[in-house]
Amino acid sequence: MLKLSSDAAETIVRHAESTYPDECVGLLLGQIAGEAKIGLRALPLENRWAGQVSLAETDNAESRRDRFYLDPRDYLRADREARAAGMDIVGCYHSHPDYPATPSERDRVGAQGVGGGTSFAFVIQSVRDGQAAEVASWLLLDEGARFAQEELIIA
Amino acid sequence: MATITIPTALRQYAAGNSSVSLDVETVGALLRGLVEQHPTLGRHLFSEQGKLRNFVNVYVGDEDIRYLEGEATPVSSGDTVSIIPAIAGGI
């Protein structure tokens, strides 16, 4: 389960709408309480996709409309910020412009460095015609073989 | 002692630790020492060929070891080495 603060949810919505029709990406900072994650803050990062990794044969290094890349240097900076504030990185988010909030095969391939399990949320914010639509949180399970939706509470 | 930090979702394979400190001289020895203590972490960090996995990055301070001397990169007492995932995807 992911409990997302309303501030964090609002930050994701604003970020996803502002980068439309491109995908946005960011991290969730907060705390882990057993199998639950508490996302206190959403940290918007730059989508630095430029074909750094191979996700599918259809990869286009120029297109951020259908690809995102969260640079490890940005992750490192966020990790330091989180630790200094007594928090952890409890997940990431990205947007799906004009596409449902369900993970794609490219999302699964690109998540393989994370580790999976219940301690890391993959939040997807759908955006349609520039307006934020549904949002959902997913867990990477079975050694990275599949995503499963988890409960998302915004409060 | 050099310290290696472990990202959130990999801590489940490291007995919940967010970092481990070891008395070693290279990044490679630090990584191998970490995996020796927590064997299941091994396959999440290394491919079957024993290379760092594609989406796994290791930094000494602010520098990616791929642009330093790889696993032979020296570490000194007080250095912090970070295991950092790259995350990518798309519709």
Side-chain angles (χ1 to χ4, degrees), chain B residues 3-68:
Chain B
T3 298
I4 187 159
T5 66
I6 301 160
T8 322
L10 291 180
R11 291 176 202 161
Q12 61 190 305
Y13 309 110
N17 289 301
S18 61
S19 67
V20 167
S21 295
L22 293 169
D23 197 6
V24 292
E25 289 175 359
T26 64
V27 170
L30 189 53
L31 287 167
R32 306 292 160 182
L34 176 66
V35 170
E36 213 165 276
Q37 283 187 13
H38 305 288
T40 51
L41 202 47
R43 64 194 151 86
H44 294 277
L45 299 180
F46 297 103
S47 67
E48 284 170 19
Q49 291 75 37
K51 300 264 187 206
L52 267 183
R53 288 176 59 155
N54 270 345
F55 290 86
V56 175
N57 304 277
V58 176
Y59 282 75
V60 176
D62 292 331
E63 298 295 328
D64 186 335
I65 63 163
R66 290 189 177 99
Y67 302 105
L68 297 169

Side-chain angles (χ1 to χ4, degrees), chain A residues 70-131:
Chain A
L70 198 169
D71 194 292
R73 284 165 296 185
D74 292 327
Y75 191 110
L76 177 60
R77 208 160 31 84
D79 191 46
R80 285 181 183 153
E81 208 172 306
R83 284 173 197 253
M87 294 192 284
D88 281 318
I89 294 175
V90 298
C92 64
Y93 69 88
H94 75 280
S95 63
H96 276 181
D98 299 314
Y99 194 85
T102 52
S104 67
E105 175 60 12
R106 274 73 58 202
D107 291 335
R108 191 191 66 80
V109 171
Q112 296 300 312
V114 173
T118 59
S119 59
F120 199 92
F122 293 84
V123 170
I124 301 178
Q125 172 72 58
S126 176
V127 187
R128 291 176 203 279
D129 298 324
Q131 300 293 312

